[in-house]
Amino acid sequence: MKKGILILGLLMVTVSCSEYQKLLKSEETAPKYAAAEKLYKEGEQEDNKKKLRKALTLLEKIEPEFRGKPQGERLVFMLGDTYYELGDYFNAPFQFERFLQLYPNSQKAEEARYKIASSFYHRSPKFNLDQTDTRKAIEELQVYLNTYPEGEFVSTANDMATDLRIKLEKKAYEIAKQYHHTEFYKAAIASFNNFLADYPGSPFREAAYYYRFDSAYKLAINSFQVLMEERLKSAKEYSVSYKKYYPQGEYLPQMEASLNEIEKKLQNF
């Protein structure tokens, strides 16, 4: 019984593949269009990559033949969306941009605009790599949000934008912290100053305030005597900023220990 079912299944797959190959070789566009749409819908609903790839092959073949025809709008969108569903986030935004240029008033325009931004979101790399695609994704998400402030995908788009901004913040914070850890204290202070100015609501803000102080403190205690007093006072000023915003902060015990050392050294002057 099991063997019979298996053989029947294999025969159906073979027939299906044979019909698909005949369809690819056919000169008729109408059957290809119907098959492409069927495979696209089934592949999307079932998350079936094999069907989506078959649909893509057909769509790429017939899309040029329907340009300027009523079916053209549907085909261009399906082509972009098939790339998107297959995880091809390089071809998908290109096709969606083309769709918006050709059919700016389409009912699918909002979805196309969102999926352009979403494609760049998925292309965004880890925080320690080049963030060109991350910035592009934020830009495209903002275009979507500005164009469709009450749109279907607003909540998801806002979540994506938040994720990407945190990634940029983390990169900027880690660069400054790396300067601190490698004892380039002047560069660390400058980087933390920039970070605090650029990202006022960052979750890394408290740590940035502390490590800016710590960089200034370590710069001071490792300075020549002629520079030490001024740098110790500067470090104290940074501690005031930290305490202003974080009076019960996580780094307060370490900071107080360093401030005691600063006071002892200042007495020598």
Side-chain angles (χ1 to χ4, degrees):
M1 182 69 175
K2 288 181 181 178
K3 185 182 278 189
I5 292 170
L6 180 61
I7 291 169
L8 182 60
L10 288 170
L11 280 170
M12 288 175 67
V13 170
T14 303
V15 170
S16 176
C17 289
S18 174
E19 288 175 354
Y20 179 73
Q21 291 302 322
K22 285 179 183 177
L23 198 59
L24 287 177
K25 293 173 184 177
S26 170
E27 297 296 323
E28 296 183 62
T29 54
K32 287 180 182 176
Y33 179 95
E37 187 161 38
K38 183 173 184 292
L39 287 164
Y40 163 74
K41 286 180 179 177
E42 290 177 354
E44 194 173 35
Q45 290 166 2
E46 301 166 12
D47 193 23
N48 187 320
K49 304 297 183 190
K50 188 175 180 180
K51 286 185 177 181
L52 286 169
R53 283 191 287 270
K54 283 184 174 182
L56 182 62
T57 302
L58 289 169
L59 289 166
E60 288 175 331
K61 280 182 174 294
I62 64 174
E63 187 272 324
E65 298 179 42
F66 283 89
R67 287 175 190 172
K69 297 179 182 178
Q71 302 95 323
E73 179 180 338
R74 175 70 174 154
L75 275 170
V76 178
F77 182 85
M78 281 197 295
L79 185 57
D81 204 38
T82 305
Y83 279 124
Y84 182 85
E85 293 296 330
L86 286 168
D88 185 343
Y89 300 120
F90 289 86
N91 278 310
F94 171 78
Q95 293 297 341
F96 283 128
E97 284 284 6
R98 193 163 70 88
F99 174 79
L100 290 173
Q101 288 170 6
L102 292 169
Y103 310 103
N105 299 316
S106 170
Q107 291 183 343
K108 288 288 190 178
E110 181 191 343
E111 186 175 349
R113 175 56 65 193
Y114 165 74
K115 286 183 174 178
I116 289 168
S118 179
S119 295
F120 283 101
Y121 172 82
H122 287 295
R123 281 165 56 172
S124 174
K126 292 180 180 179
F127 78 90
N128 57 328
L129 300 175
D130 178 74
Q131 294 300 306
T132 300
D133 282 333
T134 302
R135 293 185 180 87
K136 178 66 175 173
I138 291 173
E139 180 185 312
E140 291 293 346
L141 284 164
Q142 198 58 57
V143 170
Y144 169 78
L145 291 167
N146 291 344
T147 309
Y148 303 99
E150 304 295 328
E152 178 184 353
F153 308 100
V154 163
S155 178
T156 307
N158 277 318
D159 289 343
M160 286 178 172
T162 299
D163 286 346
L164 296 171
R165 289 190 185 103
I166 289 174
K167 187 182 288 188
L168 292 180
E169 291 169 14
K170 186 173 177 61
K171 183 177 179 70
Y173 169 74
E174 291 293 342
I175 288 171
K177 198 173 176 184
Q178 186 67 20
Y179 283 132
H180 171 274
H181 288 344
T182 52
E183 300 181 3
F184 290 96
Y185 296 124
K186 283 186 180 180
I189 294 166
S191 293
F192 282 123
N193 280 334
N194 290 335
F195 175 85
L196 291 166
D198 292 342
Y199 305 108
S202 173
F204 307 106
R205 190 168 177 79
E206 181 186 352
Y209 270 112
Y210 170 72
Y211 283 111
R212 181 179 67 170
F213 159 78
D214 196 52
S215 296
Y217 164 68
K218 286 174 178 170
L219 176 66
I221 62 174
N222 289 291
S223 296
F224 292 113
Q225 196 75 2
V226 68
L227 299 171
M228 189 177 292
E229 182 180 14
E230 182 184 349
R231 288 178 175 177
L232 288 168
K233 289 177 179 178
S234 179
K236 277 186 70 176
E237 288 175 11
Y238 286 136
S239 75
V240 171
S241 297
Y242 177 88
K243 289 180 179 181
K244 176 184 175 182
Y245 295 108
Y246 306 99
Q248 306 296 323
E250 176 187 351
Y251 300 95
L252 205 55
Q254 300 100 297
M255 182 175 282
E256 291 294 355
S258 298
L259 284 169
N260 287 335
E261 288 298 313
I262 288 173
E263 292 298 341
K264 288 177 186 177
K265 289 185 179 297
L266 282 173
Q267 288 175 8
N268 297 330
F269 296 95

